[in-house]
Amino acid sequence: MGPYQQQVDAVGGSLGWSALVSVVPLAVVLVLLGVLRTRAHWAALAGLAASLVVAIAGYGMPVVPALSSAAHGAVFGFFPILWIVINALWVFNMTVATGHFEILRESFGALSDDRRTQAILVAFCFGALLEALAGFGAPVAITSVMLVALGFAPIRAAVVALVANTAPVAFGAMAVPVITLAQVSGLPLELVASVVGRQTPVLALFVPLVLVFLVDGRRGLRQAWVPALTCGVVFAVGQFVTSNFLSVPLTDIVATLLAAFAVVVLGRLRPDAPWAARRPSIAAGGPGTATAPAARGEMFRAFLPYLLIVAVFSLAQLPGIKPLLDKAVVKFHWPGLDVLTPAGKPHSTTTFSLTYLTTAGTLMLIAGLIVVPLLGVGVGRALRSYRDTLVNLRWAILTVMAVLALAYVMNASGQTTSIGMFVAGLGGALVVLSPVLGWFGVAVSGSDTSSNALFGSLQVTAAHGSGLPPHLLAAANSSGGVLGKMLSPQNLTIAAVSVRLDGQEGVLLRKVIGWSLGMLLVLAALIGLQATPVLGWMLP
């Protein structure tokens, strides 16, 4: 059997009909998730089945390469994507099991009694750290509970947590979304991350200010704009510098630690400011109070896992070490998958490649193994925690593997190419609409990773057809997607359940949709100008 060559007009010899039929798998996923409220793993599996039917019956792709492309996508979904998430969440779960997460929570309450500063430190800074390490709903669930424990009304705590979970999302879970985007689009990771790192920092400038407004309205902005703006600026600079020049997986961790440190130091420099009010030793006593600070040694151990993660990732990037680690690579032609592009060149989905020592998941595992003795977890307890992590993530694992399998089938069969070539007819308007597509994908799926897997290749194909920079549109998909997360049914449900507002998802949606759309307009304008000489200098 010879190789399968893609045809963009495979259905009835028409590009339009081919693009329309190719939308069916995506429509299946979006309708099941957004309209019928089907669980994500069933929606993803149904979409995968639809993509295989379209590939085989519509595009004439042989059964073997069609199934082989699905298997390739599923394997990539686990290595390296889920490999990162599993090990990151394992490290976090160990801090919960040992009680060190509770020490972290108490430390935030002891830093300031001011609600506005607490929103900045807990919802934005600590939420960003959780997003960097775990993602997938963990930041909203954990920070909303912490805010309620600090005295926030449940509805306000949920809204603040949802809005805060924006700017860090593109580099969440050790940069899984941009890693996925680079893989499915065929663009270099460094280039994609560099562009995203020149878009989402702009959002970071506004988000802490929005949080202060949500907590205390205009008075909050007048009185607490200094720590909010300081946090936003430091986080934005940290995100830009780290993603462009240091380490893509470490982007959010470095930016978060710098931003939190800046706010704390600012409070020490201006102790008389209302937003810096602190009670250094408070007995526990209900909402709004914090327990007495833990001993310095325990406080250090609470922060130690995150410091170790930064250290391990930084060492892996050193010039004398990185080249050696990069030699440990598994690379081979995926069996049963011989696919040619319409131009007759081998398609990018035919090769599997994994640098298994420098991938973020392995580095996270190494950091976790160091954390085990330092936190006194014990081998047996660590293994049970890892088992529990896998069990708790079982449906997320199935969902991610199914979504990546769906994306690979669409990419290998030519479905994505047909849609992209058809959408390219929008011309210059595409650059403004590209973040909207990413926003829509995340609003429905709840995952920037899933949205990038579904639409990343489409954005690049459309960019080539319309003469726009492919890296700009690919990055716009991820950057726009971060603003759809606060609207996703998944995140709304997590927020509502966490603060015991079951059934109030509609109320939360009405409170956050305006902020989501407003920031999306700002981002779309920014990306539109980046495609022109006005802000073209921002691109690498």
Side-chain angles (χ1 to χ4, degrees):
M1 183 184 297
Y4 165 77
Q5 185 165 4
Q6 298 175 341
Q7 294 183 17
V8 295
D9 57 353
V11 180
S14 166
L15 176 61
W17 279 111
S18 299
L20 183 62
V21 171
S22 298
V23 170
V24 170
L26 301 177
V28 168
V29 175
L30 300 181
V31 170
L32 287 176
L33 278 174
V35 179
L36 301 180
R37 302 293 181 90
T38 306
R39 296 188 66 178
H41 58 277
W42 292 121
L45 288 171
L48 171 59
S51 70
L52 287 168
V53 170
V54 172
I56 296 169
Y59 278 74
M61 189 178 194
V63 174
V64 171
L67 294 176
S68 182
S69 64
H72 189 185
V75 170
F76 176 77
F78 198 92
F79 292 106
I81 304 303
L82 288 164
W83 183 234
I84 300 170
V85 177
I86 291 168
N87 290 314
L89 199 54
W90 172 56
V91 173
F92 171 74
N93 286 341
M94 285 194 293
T95 67
V96 174
T98 58
H100 289 93
F101 168 71
E102 183 63 21
I103 295 174
L104 279 178
R105 186 193 69 77
E106 293 170 358
S107 68
F108 285 119
L111 287 172
S112 175
D113 298 327
D114 188 82
R115 292 282 182 271
R116 299 158 301 191
T117 305
Q118 289 174 346
I120 294 170
L121 287 173
V122 175
F124 187 79
C125 293
F126 191 62
L129 185 61
L130 292 172
E131 181 67 37
L133 295 175
F136 294 91
V140 170
I142 294 168
T143 60
S144 58
V145 172
M146 289 176 67
L147 291 173
V148 170
L150 290 169
F152 282 69
I155 192 75
R156 180 166 293 175
V159 170
V160 168
L162 285 166
V163 173
N165 191 217
T166 47
V169 169
F171 293 99
M174 307 307 294
V176 164
V178 293
I179 290 172
T180 304
L181 179 61
Q183 179 70 20
V184 301
S185 66
L187 297 172
L189 173 60
E190 292 74 16
L191 178 60
V192 173
S194 177
V195 181
V196 175
R198 297 163 193 244
Q199 294 171 348
T200 55
V202 176
L203 298 175
L205 295 173
F206 296 101
V207 173
L209 291 168
V210 171
L211 299 183
V212 166
F213 180 81
L214 288 171
V215 172
D216 198 26
R218 294 180 180 178
R219 182 183 65 175
L221 286 177
R222 288 196 306 269
Q223 295 182 356
W225 66 269
V226 173
L229 188 60
T230 298
C231 178
V233 169
V234 173
F235 185 91
V237 172
Q239 200 175 53
F240 163 71
V241 172
T242 309
S243 62
N244 277 264
F245 306 110
L246 299 178
S247 168
V248 175
L250 280 178
T251 295
D252 277 348
I253 292 181
V254 172
T256 297
L257 294 177
L258 289 176
F261 181 75
V263 174
V264 172
V265 170
L266 189 64
R268 298 293 187 269
L269 295 176
R270 298 187 57 183
D272 297 330
W275 44 264
R278 289 186 301 119
R279 281 178 278 175
S281 182
I282 311 172
T289 64
T291 58
R296 288 183 180 273
E298 287 302 302
M299 184 76 73
F300 175 74
R301 293 175 73 192
F303 282 93
L304 186 58
Y306 311 108
L307 298 176
L308 279 172
I309 290 169
V310 173
V312 169
F313 275 80
S314 299
L315 287 173
Q317 299 298 318
L318 292 178
I321 298 177
K322 190 176 187 302
L324 293 176
L325 296 179
D326 284 340
K327 292 180 180 179
V329 59
V330 173
K331 186 174 184 179
F332 57 88
H333 180 87
W334 191 263
L337 191 58
D338 293 313
V339 178
L340 301 178
T341 66
K345 298 180 180 179
H347 196 267
S348 60
T349 59
T350 60
T351 301
F352 179 84
S353 179
L354 176 66
T355 51
Y356 53 88
L357 288 182
T358 55
T359 188
T362 301
L363 296 177
M364 183 63 72
L365 177 62
I366 293 171
L369 293 174
I370 300 173
V371 165
V372 168
L374 294 180
L375 290 188
V377 178
V379 175
R381 196 177 186 184
L383 291 175
R384 288 193 298 272
S385 179
Y386 204 95
R387 178 202 61 196
D388 293 342
T389 300
L390 289 172
V391 171
N392 293 333
L393 284 175
R394 62 189 183 279
W395 298 121
I397 290 172
L398 178 59
T399 301
V400 172
M401 292 180 72
V403 167
L404 267 297
L406 159 65
Y408 269 57
V409 171
M410 292 188 65
N411 292 343
S413 63
Q415 297 173 55
T416 303
T417 304
S418 296
I419 298 173
M421 294 298 293
F422 184 79
V423 173
L426 294 172
L430 182 61
V431 72
V432 178
L433 294 176
S434 56
V436 179
L437 184 60
W439 172 86
F440 178 74
V442 176
V444 174
S445 69
S447 167
D448 200 37
T449 299
S450 297
S451 179
N452 288 342
L454 293 173
F455 301 132
S457 182
L458 186 155
Q459 296 269 22
V460 170
T461 302
H464 284 304
S466 59
L468 293 166
H471 51 284
L472 175 61
L473 266 61
N477 193 87
S478 192
S479 299
V482 308
L483 297 173
K485 192 155 189 178
M486 68 179 83
L487 305 178
S488 69
Q490 171 186 313
N491 252 25
L492 290 171
T493 301
I494 289 172
V497 171
S498 298
V499 298
R500 299 182 180 179
L501 291 174
D502 303 58
Q504 299 296 310
E505 289 90 346
V507 176
L508 294 178
L509 175 63
R510 289 192 293 273
K511 287 185 175 293
V512 301
I513 190 170
W515 296 107
S516 178
L517 292 173
M519 287 189 278
L520 179 63
L521 288 174
V522 172
L523 182 66
L526 169 71
I527 293 170
L529 292 174
Q530 285 181 330
T532 71
V534 178
L535 292 181
W537 52 269
M538 291 182 67
L539 299 180

